[in-house]
Amino acid sequence: MIRKAADRTSEVREAMRGGEGSVEIRHFFKRDEWNANTRLCAELILPPGASIGSHQHLREDEVYIITSGSGLIDDGSGEERVSMGDAILTGNGETHTIRNDGNEPLSLIAVIVMYGE
Amino acid sequence: MIRKAADRTSEVREAMRGGEGSVEIRHFFKRDEWNANTRLCAELILPPGASIGSHQHLREDEVYIITSGSGLIDDGSGEERVSMGDAILTGNGETHTIRNDGNEPLSLIAVIVMYGE
């Protein structure tokens, strides 16, 4: 199943997970398009100043892969700068937060895989 | 867990799945770093002329997300051009193949999620 970039559905979340500003979510494939236990597969775009607040992942793993821009991630061990090609894996009850402290949009690919029963 | 781009492990596969040339695989997180049922999470780089041969995904889904360059994908319904921001989801016994027919490297993010028992 091919999903052209222009055919993605998009939504904007304000104060995502208690963060600042708005985050655009461009879905590649939604949960009901997967056979596997995947509930998010999307590009997330954080304009300058935007953030996703701290949140926990229980019984699921989320990977962020930074595709453009730069920002600060905190996975519980302090803020660390991330930029293109860096990745963050969070799961098993861990928390994370990310914010764009730069002047360019921060784009990342996010995939959430839930654990089986 | 943060994986900086420079700290990724990399491998080169010749004639991957029976394809042409070589494909570089830069792993973000390997199977044993996930709690979820994920066996590949990597950037794949196909130089001009390279391809990944046709192969089937049984009891797992694979998503390709094109991050740069352009190529031709065939998921069983004929070749279709894909470029940055396009995505392909293949699973449940389906097959796919991809080749770089352009002059620039073709890069994509690949994630394979296995089905539960």
Side-chain angles (χ1 to χ4, degrees):
Chain A
M1 175 171 32
I2 297 175
R3 174 81 12 91
K4 301 295 286 181
D7 296 333
R8 289 180 289 175
T9 57
S10 178
E11 59 181 301
V12 174
R13 296 260 184 97
E14 304 292 337
M16 188 171 176
R17 304 285 200 158
E20 299 290 321
S22 62
V23 176
E24 184 181 356
I25 303 176
R26 295 179 182 168
H27 295 278
F28 293 112
F29 295 104
K30 290 193 169 183
R31 180 173 182 168
D32 62 0
E33 295 179 303
W34 288 76
N35 298 290
N37 229 357
T38 305
R39 73 171 178 85
L40 180 73
C41 176
E43 180 184 20
L44 273 55
I45 301 165
L46 285 71
S51 62
I52 301 171
S54 179
H55 60 280
Q56 186 180 33
H57 287 283
L58 279 171
R59 304 277 315 148
E60 62 185 21
D61 290 346
E62 181 170 39
V63 67
Y64 286 163
I65 299 165
I66 311 296
T67 51
S68 72
S70 170
L72 293 167
I73 188 107
D74 189 341
D75 65 353
S77 51
E79 284 189 325
E80 185 165 341
R81 180 156 305 285
V82 289
S83 56
M84 192 173 78
D86 297 338
I88 305 96
L89 184 63
T90 307
N92 207 20
E94 296 169 331
T95 61
H96 62 173
T97 176
I98 188 166
R99 66 187 177 94
N100 182 357
D101 66 330
N103 298 314
E104 304 291 330
L106 170 63
S107 295
L108 58 93
I109 288 168
V111 179
I112 298 179
V113 184
M114 298 175 288
Y115 305 166
E117 295 310 312
Chain B
M1 175 171 30
I2 298 174
R3 173 80 15 89
K4 302 294 288 182
D7 295 333
R8 290 180 289 176
T9 57
S10 178
E11 59 182 301
V12 174
R13 297 259 185 98
E14 304 293 337
M16 188 172 175
R17 304 284 201 161
E20 298 291 322
S22 62
V23 175
E24 184 183 354
I25 303 176
R26 295 178 182 168
H27 295 278
F28 293 112
F29 296 104
K30 291 193 167 182
R31 180 175 182 165
D32 62 1
E33 296 180 301
W34 288 75
N35 298 289
N37 229 356
T38 306
R39 73 171 179 86
L40 180 73
C41 176
E43 180 183 22
L44 273 55
I45 301 165
L46 286 68
S51 62
I52 300 171
S54 180
H55 60 281
Q56 186 179 33
H57 288 282
L58 278 171
R59 304 278 314 149
E60 63 185 20
D61 290 345
E62 180 170 39
V63 67
Y64 285 163
I65 298 166
I66 311 298
T67 51
S68 72
S70 169
L72 293 167
I73 188 109
D74 190 341
D75 65 354
S77 50
E79 284 189 324
E80 184 165 342
R81 181 156 303 284
V82 288
S83 57
M84 192 174 76
D86 296 339
I88 305 96
L89 184 63
T90 308
N92 206 20
E94 295 169 333
T95 62
H96 62 173
T97 176
I98 188 165
R99 67 187 176 93
N100 183 357
D101 66 330
N103 298 314
E104 304 292 330
L106 170 63
S107 295
L108 58 94
I109 289 168
V111 178
I112 299 180
V113 184
M114 299 176 287
Y115 305 167
E117 294 310 308

